[in-house]
Amino acid sequence: MVVFTNLKLTNPPLVEAVFAVRWKLSPHKDGYWIDPKYQIALGRFQSLIEKQFPVWEKLPMAEAPEQVAAYHPLHRFRVSANQYPMLQLGPGVLTINNSTGYEWSEFEDLCMRTVHFLIDAYRDSVIELHNLELRYVNTHPLNELQSMDFLAQKMGVIIQLPEGLFSGQAVQRKTTSFNFSAGFENSTPPGVAQINLRQGKRGTVPSLLWDFGFLAQKELPDFPEGLPEWLKQAREVAHQWFLALTEKHLLEGY
C-alpha cells in the first residue's frame, strides 16, 4: 500500500475538507437549546480573524428564529470572495473548510489556530465538547457508467440487487439516483468511521460523490490539548479509506 504521507496528488478528487467542532448548549425554558454567549463571542471571533479572513457572509439561516439555530453555521468568513479556506460559526458549531490547494500541515495548523481563537472568543465560559468531526468530500466523473457499476469496477465496492427487480420490461438498470451511507465503530480514536456514496453532478458532469470521515461523540479528547493527536488519528483513518477505495484503479489518475 502507498504511504499517504509521502504521496503528492496533482489532480486530487477533493471537493472539500471539513473539520467541525460542536459544543454543548444550554436548555431554554421553552424546551430548545441555546448558546447564551454566542452573540458576544461572534463579535470577538470576527475581530480575532478579520486580518486573515476579511470577507464576511451572513448566511440565510442567520434569519431563522433562535429555536432552530442550534448547531447551524450562521456566519461565514473567507480569505477573499468565494475562496478557500473558509470558517463558519454558529451557536454550538465551528467549521474549518478548505478545498483548492489543500495541504494537511497547513490545514492542521489552521484548525488549531482557529480553535484557540474560538476559546478566546468564549473566554467568559468553558467550552464543553459535544462532538468532533473530520470529513473529506470527493468526486469522480462516472464516465457513462452507472453508479453501482462504477463502484464495483473502480472502487471494489459491490452492491447487488436481486435480478428479479429487472426481469420484466418496465424497470431498467439505469440509475436516476443513488445514495448509500454506513458507519463503523472505530477504536483509535474512539468513534465512528463514516462513508457516504451518492450520485450527483459536479458542474454539469454526472459524477459519483463520495465522502468519508470520522465522528467522535462519546469518548472525546481533552479540549484543546488533545486535539492535535485526535486530528492525526482521525486523518489516518480517513486516508486509509481513501487508499482502500482508490489505490487499485483510480489513484494513478490523481
Side-chain angles (χ1 to χ4, degrees):
M1 178 173 285
V2 177
V3 178
F4 193 89
T5 53
N6 296 328
L7 187 64
K8 297 294 183 182
L9 304 181
T10 57
N11 185 34
L14 183 69
V15 175
E16 191 171 35
V18 184
F19 174 53
V21 180
R22 299 178 182 90
W23 52 95
K24 293 182 179 180
L25 300 180
S26 301
H28 189 275
K29 61 182 179 63
D30 292 331
Y32 56 91
W33 297 92
I34 61 169
D35 187 339
K37 298 296 181 73
Y38 171 71
Q39 290 299 333
I40 189 170
L42 171 64
R44 290 172 177 168
F45 184 79
Q46 185 172 10
S47 177
L48 290 166
I49 65 168
E50 62 182 349
K51 287 186 178 179
Q52 185 178 357
F53 295 88
V55 177
W56 165 64
E57 303 170 46
K58 187 176 182 180
L59 299 175
M61 192 66 188
E63 304 299 330
E66 184 181 50
Q67 292 91 324
V68 297
Y71 297 118
H72 290 282
L74 306 184
H75 296 270
R76 180 176 289 165
F77 308 92
R78 293 183 183 269
V79 290
S80 57
N82 301 316
Q83 297 299 309
Y84 286 84
M86 172 183 78
L87 310 179
Q88 298 184 117
L89 186 67
V93 60
L94 166 72
T95 78
I96 297 97
N97 308 58
N98 205 355
S99 181
T100 306
Y102 164 88
E103 292 284 348
W104 169 250
S105 60
E106 295 176 2
F107 186 65
E108 179 186 31
D109 179 67
L110 176 60
C111 290
M112 291 307 305
R113 284 190 290 112
T114 306
V115 163
H116 284 289
F117 288 145
L118 177 73
I119 293 170
D120 194 6
Y122 278 85
R123 67 187 71 131
D124 301 326
S125 59
V126 176
I127 294 176
E128 187 177 355
L129 291 181
H130 177 57
N131 66 47
L132 296 171
E133 183 178 13
L134 179 66
R135 183 162 51 92
Y136 292 88
V137 183
N138 305 274
T139 186
H140 194 102
L142 286 169
N143 296 325
E144 305 300 326
L145 289 173
Q146 299 301 307
S147 296
M148 287 188 287
D149 293 336
F150 180 90
L151 286 167
Q153 295 177 26
K154 302 298 185 181
M155 290 183 160
V157 178
I158 299 174
I159 300 173
Q160 291 184 322
L161 295 174
E163 286 296 321
L165 294 178
F166 309 101
S167 60
Q169 298 296 317
V171 181
Q172 302 179 28
R173 291 183 177 275
K174 184 176 182 180
T175 55
T176 60
S177 63
F178 176 82
N179 197 327
F180 171 87
S181 297
F184 303 89
E185 288 188 10
N186 193 75
S187 59
T188 306
V192 179
Q194 301 174 322
I195 186 168
N196 301 287
L197 308 166
R198 59 195 183 277
Q199 180 177 313
K201 289 186 177 181
R202 188 171 190 180
T204 60
V205 179
S207 301
L208 180 78
L209 307 177
W210 46 292
D211 71 74
F212 50 84
F214 189 81
L215 177 70
Q217 189 159 353
K218 294 182 179 179
E219 298 181 53
L220 292 159
D222 293 335
F223 185 75
E225 295 82 4
L227 277 187
E229 183 63 19
W230 186 91
L231 282 167
K232 174 186 175 183
Q233 293 176 347
R235 174 185 180 248
E236 288 173 353
V237 173
H239 285 170
Q240 179 185 348
W241 280 34
F242 175 84
L243 290 176
L245 289 169
T246 66
E247 188 174 19
K248 191 171 183 180
H249 298 291
L250 298 175
L251 187 60
E252 186 176 348
Y254 300 150

